[in-house]
Amino acid sequence: MRLSSMVLAALLLPTAASAQTAPDPARLKADVAKLVSFGTRHTLSDPDHPTRGIGAARRWYADEMKRIGARCGDCLQVSNIERVFTNDRAPKGVNVVDVLAVQPGRDLNRVVIVQGHIDSRVTDVMNFTSDAPGANDDASGVALVLEAARLLSGKKFDATIIYAALSGEEQGLLGGTLLAETAKERGWTVTAVLNNDIVGNTVGQSGARVTDRVRVFSEGIRASEGVPDQLTRRGNGGEDDGPSRALAKAIDQVAQGIPGGLDAFIDRRPDRFGRGGDHEPFLKLGYPAVRFSVAIENYNQQHQDLRTAEGVEYGDTIDKMDFPYLAKVTAINVATIARLATAPAAPEQVLLRGALGSDTTVSWTAVPGASGYRVHWRRNDKQDWTDHRDIPAGATETLLKDVIVDDTFIGVSALSSTGADSIVTFGGRAPRPAR
């Protein structure tokens, strides 16, 4: 279901705490400029220097979140999580610190996470002294997270929202690993992880400019599934409908409802070819997670020493960014968070019965707080849902007459009282028991 313009407008109406109703390109630019001003934000840089390095940047982010929270009666709880990691990019060990601003919902255990990584680098991943402005990679993502907090912090949602600035991405996805494992340790129900990494430029390596879309990467076959579950998904035909792909499809629907916005280009792989990001540790633990990234990249402006060679400028500097575009990417994130934090959780399981028949029986696990359910279906040769039926809250089963299960994909989402729906849980046979 596309979140209606009326529902979205109600969610984003100005309140006494915040009169802003749309992402502000000027504010995004100011936040990126501030992050660039710390010189380098390399994970191995001095964590204690007052004005330079990753520690100063993290403290500024925390202070900014506290200021945002103060405008809505201390509605954000700001804290750090941290752990020492050692690997080939941190051979002496490094204390990785993630800064979290938590907006408690009515359900404190169910969370929607929006994140970017605050660390930066130059050509040599071990060089923590040279200036590494990291304007697009990934001050753009951190600025987006701050702007999302400004827009949403004055509202009350069913789910808890976590606005996260992660460290250690360039040293091996360490901050993403820390937050994903923290989610598991604390028993959070993770509705969605929106990872924003390189979301603020529109001119690519060839000089081509692409301003009408943003890529949303999502896995098909789940990294967390063992062989029995993979075989079940294969038998069900659900390769394009795992939780992360369902999240990407929901984002696409949300984006279509934003006037003058961007197309969400659903990129059907976990990340860019042969590359990775901070959503991947969440995928390994089975959580729905996607990566937002610009439609076209300029690799001369990623992981580069600041220099000009043969007339080519290298380096991730703020003058190469497009802030109206970044504001549109932010708008998609904000609207997606609003929908999913308003909607109930997705049903844990949807089962189908109907082999050797012309009708299909659909059953699903009840979702606490759901005001109803939406049963979706489509022909097996389609990617997007084409039909649906709404079911009242008390029911957990329905019969689809003249819908042949052999030729039809079916799923169920949970509905809120305002009509916001969860991501769709794909239906099929129950997983095979492990042998």
Side-chain angles (χ1 to χ4, degrees):
M1 172 189 170
R2 183 185 303 175
L3 190 64
S4 72
S5 300
M6 183 177 296
V7 172
L8 180 58
L11 290 170
L12 299 182
L13 281 174
T15 66
S18 171
Q20 187 180 343
T21 60
D24 181 355
R27 183 67 254 174
L28 288 161
K29 183 176 183 179
D31 286 341
V32 171
K34 182 63 180 180
L35 287 161
V36 168
S37 76
F38 295 108
T40 179
R41 304 188 306 277
H42 194 286
T43 300
L44 304 183
S45 61
D46 187 349
D48 299 316
H49 195 284
T51 59
R52 181 178 176 85
I54 194 167
R58 288 190 297 236
R59 289 188 292 274
W60 171 80
Y61 174 87
D63 288 344
E64 191 63 23
M65 280 297 186
K66 290 174 184 176
R67 282 190 284 272
I68 294 170
R71 293 198 292 268
C72 53
D74 294 325
C75 64
L76 298 180
Q77 302 168 357
V78 181
S79 63
N80 295 343
I81 56 174
E82 55 190 279
R83 184 193 308 166
V84 174
F85 287 83
T86 303
N87 63 13
D88 58 348
R89 293 188 176 188
K92 296 181 181 180
V94 62
N95 191 42
V96 171
V97 180
D98 292 342
V99 186
L100 310 181
V102 178
Q103 181 177 338
R106 297 179 184 90
D107 185 342
L108 299 178
N109 197 59
R110 185 167 71 89
V111 301
V112 176
I113 299 172
V114 58
Q115 63 186 32
H117 72 84
I118 201 168
D119 58 302
S120 64
R121 59 167 285 195
V122 290
T123 305
D124 179 359
V125 71
M126 302 303 294
N127 180 350
F128 59 86
T129 58
S130 295
D131 280 353
N136 197 26
D137 185 13
D138 185 34
S140 65
V142 175
L144 181 155
V145 172
L146 283 162
E147 192 72 355
R150 293 187 186 100
L151 289 165
L152 295 172
S153 57
K155 318 295 185 299
K156 190 66 175 180
F157 294 97
D158 287 331
T160 293
I161 303 171
I162 297 177
Y163 307 95
L166 310 180
S167 302
E169 193 269 354
E170 305 290 6
Q171 307 309 114
L173 311 182
L174 304 181
T177 298
L178 174 58
L179 184 52
E181 293 180 354
T182 297
K184 183 176 181 180
E185 291 164 3
R186 297 184 181 180
W188 292 343
T189 298
V190 180
T191 283
V193 179
L194 308 181
N195 185 45
N196 289 272
D197 193 353
I198 310 179
V199 287
N201 76 283
T202 52
V203 178
Q205 186 82 7
S206 67
R209 188 167 186 234
V210 181
T211 62
D212 63 345
R213 61 186 181 269
V214 62
R215 292 178 295 172
V216 181
F217 292 88
S218 62
E219 67 176 8
I221 296 297
R222 300 177 70 186
S224 63
E225 287 182 333
V227 172
D229 288 332
Q230 289 182 14
L231 291 174
T232 297
R233 187 173 297 280
R234 173 181 177 272
N236 290 333
E239 294 88 346
D240 195 49
D241 289 274
S244 295
R245 186 62 49 76
L247 172 57
K249 291 179 180 183
I251 291 167
D252 188 27
Q253 293 168 345
V254 167
Q256 292 173 33
I258 300 176
L262 301 174
D263 173 44
F265 172 10
I266 305 306
D267 218 316
R268 284 172 159 78
R269 55 166 48 110
D271 206 322
R272 300 149 306 157
F273 190 73
R275 300 155 76 190
D278 273 324
H279 58 302
E280 294 194 81
F282 292 91
L283 298 177
K284 291 178 180 178
L285 295 180
Y287 299 127
V290 299
R291 177 197 179 119
F292 285 83
S293 209
V294 293
I296 191 165
E297 295 182 64
N298 190 329
Y299 311 109
N300 293 339
Q301 294 156 20
Q302 298 175 15
H303 303 173
Q304 295 288 342
D305 293 336
L306 298 175
R307 68 194 191 280
T308 300
E310 299 180 355
V312 178
E313 293 184 359
Y314 293 86
D316 188 358
T317 52
I318 193 169
D319 57 302
K320 306 300 193 301
M321 293 180 64
D322 183 334
F323 289 97
Y325 174 85
L326 177 56
K328 291 182 178 182
V329 180
T330 304
I332 297 175
N333 274 260
V334 168
T336 301
I337 295 165
R339 166 179 160 176
L340 296 179
T342 301
E348 288 187 12
Q349 189 175 60
V350 175
L351 299 177
L352 308 179
R353 303 192 305 275
L356 306 178
S358 297
D359 305 328
T360 300
T361 299
V362 187
S363 61
W364 57 91
T365 49
V367 176
S371 296
Y373 301 93
R374 179 159 289 157
V375 178
H376 307 257
W377 66 94
R378 68 181 193 263
R379 278 179 22 169
N380 287 3
D381 61 349
K382 304 294 183 183
Q383 289 184 337
D384 298 318
W385 304 112
T386 57
D387 299 277
H388 71 264
R389 174 188 298 171
D390 288 351
I391 307 295
T396 56
E397 184 173 292
T398 193
L399 178 69
L400 299 180
K401 291 285 294 180
D402 300 319
V403 173
I404 300 173
V405 72
D406 291 341
D407 305 323
T408 311
F409 290 145
I410 300 169
V412 179
S413 59
L415 297 171
S416 73
S417 59
T418 61
D421 62 334
S422 70
I423 64 173
V424 178
T425 301
F426 189 73
R429 297 173 297 164
R432 300 177 183 180
R435 296 181 179 178

